[in-house]
């Protein structure tokens, strides 16, 4: 989201942007929700205590992938240039060591990820990780593994090999397994099969990640659109101000609609007969807000106020109600 800007903080002139380049159009932005801030503290403590691994699990579309992106960009404030890598766990019917190390090499940014056999790729990966840690002057390295519910037992063993090899050279690797609630099922299976080495290395303290569950959560998210999400960087133009420039001057703020929006979500759930615990995955909340900004802001209908019916239309358009109706029980 951060880009170089020619606009200063005091600029009263709405920034001119090429079409479809604003983060609301591209979707390339992160909102530091209450839940993400809680997760940040959990991750920070795990790294500081040199824990080998932590499970972060939750239902689909809660914003776990975006949370990883936020953490990767924010952790340097506490840990300097410590090497942090995001790995995507792809779906494979059978684990393959060559493929496993090829994909990790690719995800960590190594230019030679495809050449050689599995053993050569393993050695190349270890050399790369050790060199990066040494260059950063760090004895710690972090892996975030997204969609980790796809990991097979063999792949956990290969991960342990990586941890052990790094540890032998004085580098601590902390692995965050981020994925759906199936991760807990895998943990239970490992318990039943007495695979304690996997549990002890990666799954000691599961952490459940939630979406927006309270009025306070919703308020904080909307406040970010009003104050914290600035584009272009240092321009002083928050997302809300950019799409509602004139109303913004008259104290229009999305966070002032938090209570009403919360009530609309509850009402629509009741009308649809949804009895599951209240939770809004971030994907649907951001879709709702983006709809309002685009449809009713200065590039759309250019209104001065958002009505209850307009919020209803935005929520329905996000797909939230349908998703909740067919949401699997936990």
């Amino acid at each position: 989201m951060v880009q170089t800007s020619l606009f200063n903080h005091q600029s009263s002139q709405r920034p001119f942007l090429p079409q479809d380049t604003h983060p609301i159009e591209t979707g390339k932005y992160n909102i530091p929700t209450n839940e993400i801030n809680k997760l940040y503290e959990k991750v920070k403590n795990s790294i500081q205590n040199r824990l080998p691994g932590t499970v972060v699990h939750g239902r689909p579309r809660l914003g776990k992938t975006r949370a990883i992106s936020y953490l990767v960009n924010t952790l340097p404030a506490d840990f300097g240039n410590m090497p942090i890598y995001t790995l995507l766990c792809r779906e494979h019917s059978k684990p393959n060591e060559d493929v496993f190390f090829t994909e990790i090499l690719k995800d960590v940014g190594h230019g030679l990820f495809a050449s050689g056999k599995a053993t050569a790729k393993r050695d190349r990966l270890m050399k790369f990780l050790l060199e990066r840690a040494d260059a950063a002057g760090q004895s710690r390295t972090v892996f975030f593994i997204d969609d980790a519910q796809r990991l097979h037992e063999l792949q956990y063993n290969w991960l342990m090999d990586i941890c052990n090899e790094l540890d032998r050279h004085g580098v601590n690797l902390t692995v965050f397994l981020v994925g759906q609630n199936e991760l807990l099922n895998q943990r239970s299976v490992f318990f039943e099969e007495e695979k304690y080495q996997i549990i002890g290395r990666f799954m000691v303290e599961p952490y459940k990640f939630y979406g927006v569950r309270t009025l306070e959560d919703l308020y904080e998210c909307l406040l970010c659109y009003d104050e914290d999400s600035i584009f272009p960087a240092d321009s002083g133009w928050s997302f809300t101000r950019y799409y509602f420039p004139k109303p913004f001057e008259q104290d229009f703020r999305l966070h002032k609609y938090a209570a009403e929006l919360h009530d609309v979500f509850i009402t629509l759930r009741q009308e649809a007969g949804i009895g599951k615990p209240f939770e809004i995955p971030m994907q649907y909340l951001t879709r709702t807000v983006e709809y309002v900004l685009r449809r009713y802001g200065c590039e759309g209908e250019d209104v001065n106020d958002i009505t209850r019916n307009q919020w209803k239309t935005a929520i329905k358009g996000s797909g939230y109600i349908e998703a909740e109706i067919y949401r699997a029980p936990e």
Side-chain angles (χ1 to χ4, degrees):
M1 186 175 72
V2 178
Q3 293 187 8
T4 303
S5 170
L6 298 178
F7 304 96
N8 61 53
H9 186 72
Q10 302 299 322
S11 175
S12 60
Q13 182 68 37
R14 185 174 185 257
F16 175 78
L17 302 175
Q19 186 176 2
D20 298 331
T21 59
H22 193 280
I24 289 296
E25 303 295 339
T26 65
K28 295 179 179 179
Y29 66 95
N30 293 309
I31 296 295
T33 65
N34 285 342
E35 188 60 30
I36 288 179
N37 289 329
K38 292 176 186 176
L39 178 59
Y40 185 91
E41 291 303 313
K42 173 66 176 178
V43 166
K44 184 171 74 171
N45 289 335
S46 295
I47 297 172
Q48 288 174 336
N49 294 326
R50 297 184 181 274
L51 298 181
T54 299
V55 169
V56 180
H57 65 98
R59 53 182 286 209
R61 298 177 178 84
L62 289 182
K64 297 185 293 296
T65 298
R66 286 196 174 190
I68 293 174
S69 176
Y70 177 81
L71 292 170
V72 169
N73 289 324
T74 309
L75 283 169
D78 284 303
F79 297 99
N81 57 350
M82 176 185 66
I84 304 174
Y85 306 99
T86 301
L87 314 181
L88 176 60
C89 189
R90 284 84 169 174
E91 187 70 65
H92 298 294
S93 58
K94 293 182 180 180
N96 178 285
E97 189 175 14
D98 183 78
V99 172
F100 179 78
F101 284 103
T102 296
E103 291 176 344
I104 294 183
L105 281 168
K106 185 176 182 180
D107 287 343
V108 300
H110 198 290
L112 297 175
F113 58 84
S115 62
K117 296 182 179 180
T119 53
K121 292 175 182 177
R122 179 199 292 261
D123 292 342
R124 191 178 305 135
L125 174 64
M126 296 310 307
K127 183 178 179 181
F128 177 85
L129 295 176
L130 290 169
E131 286 179 348
R132 286 296 181 90
D134 183 65
Q138 293 275 351
S139 60
R140 293 181 288 203
T141 295
V142 171
F143 280 1
F144 286 99
I145 302 182
D146 200 7
D147 280 330
Q149 73 278 355
R150 296 173 175 172
L151 284 171
H152 296 260
E153 182 182 337
L154 264 178
Q155 293 168 310
Y156 280 108
N157 290 329
W158 295 329
L159 274 175
M160 280 196 289
D161 290 342
I162 295 173
C163 292
N164 292 336
E165 184 69 14
L166 288 175
D167 185 65
R168 191 167 71 89
H169 289 84
V171 176
N172 174 261
L173 175 63
T174 298
V175 178
F176 294 96
L177 303 173
V178 184
Q180 298 179 21
N181 292 321
E182 289 92 316
L183 274 169
L184 289 188
N185 298 334
Q186 292 178 350
R187 186 173 183 266
S188 298
V189 170
F190 289 147
F191 263 119
E192 292 173 2
E193 297 178 349
E194 298 184 353
K195 307 291 185 181
Y196 302 127
Q197 72 277 16
I198 295 177
I199 297 168
R201 185 64 66 97
F202 302 113
M203 298 177 162
V204 175
E205 296 181 348
Y207 180 90
K208 187 164 185 178
F209 186 82
Y210 293 98
V212 172
R213 295 188 294 167
T214 67
L215 174 57
E216 180 186 359
D217 289 341
L218 184 58
Y219 177 94
E220 292 298 327
C221 289
L222 295 177
L223 186 64
C224 286
Y225 285 93
D226 294 332
E227 298 181 357
D228 299 330
S229 299
I230 306 297
F231 189 86
D234 301 322
S235 66
W237 284 78
S238 69
F239 291 3
T240 305
R241 184 186 181 192
Y242 182 80
Y243 282 89
F244 288 87
K246 292 181 180 179
F248 194 88
E249 293 179 2
Q250 303 302 317
D251 211 28
F252 173 95
R253 300 292 187 275
L254 288 178
H255 73 264
K256 294 184 177 182
Y257 293 90
E260 182 176 41
L261 179 56
H262 185 262
D263 185 63
V264 173
F265 268 107
I266 292 175
T267 298
L268 290 177
R269 288 170 57 91
Q270 291 172 341
E271 291 175 355
I274 300 170
K276 304 178 184 76
F278 181 84
E279 185 176 24
I280 311 169
M282 278 303 296
Q283 175 175 314
Y284 300 111
L285 179 58
T286 56
R287 284 181 185 175
T288 297
V289 175
E290 288 164 5
Y291 183 98
V292 164
L293 293 175
R294 292 195 303 261
R295 179 69 178 270
Y296 304 121
C298 65
E299 296 184 356
E301 297 182 15
D302 198 17
V303 303
N304 294 316
D305 185 36
I306 308 299
T307 68
R308 186 179 180 87
N309 283 335
Q310 287 169 336
W311 281 118
K312 281 186 176 182
T313 299
I315 294 171
K316 290 178 179 178
S318 75
Y320 171 72
I321 298 301
E322 290 79 4
E324 287 294 283
I325 290 174
Y326 297 108
R327 168 183 161 191
E330 299 181 19

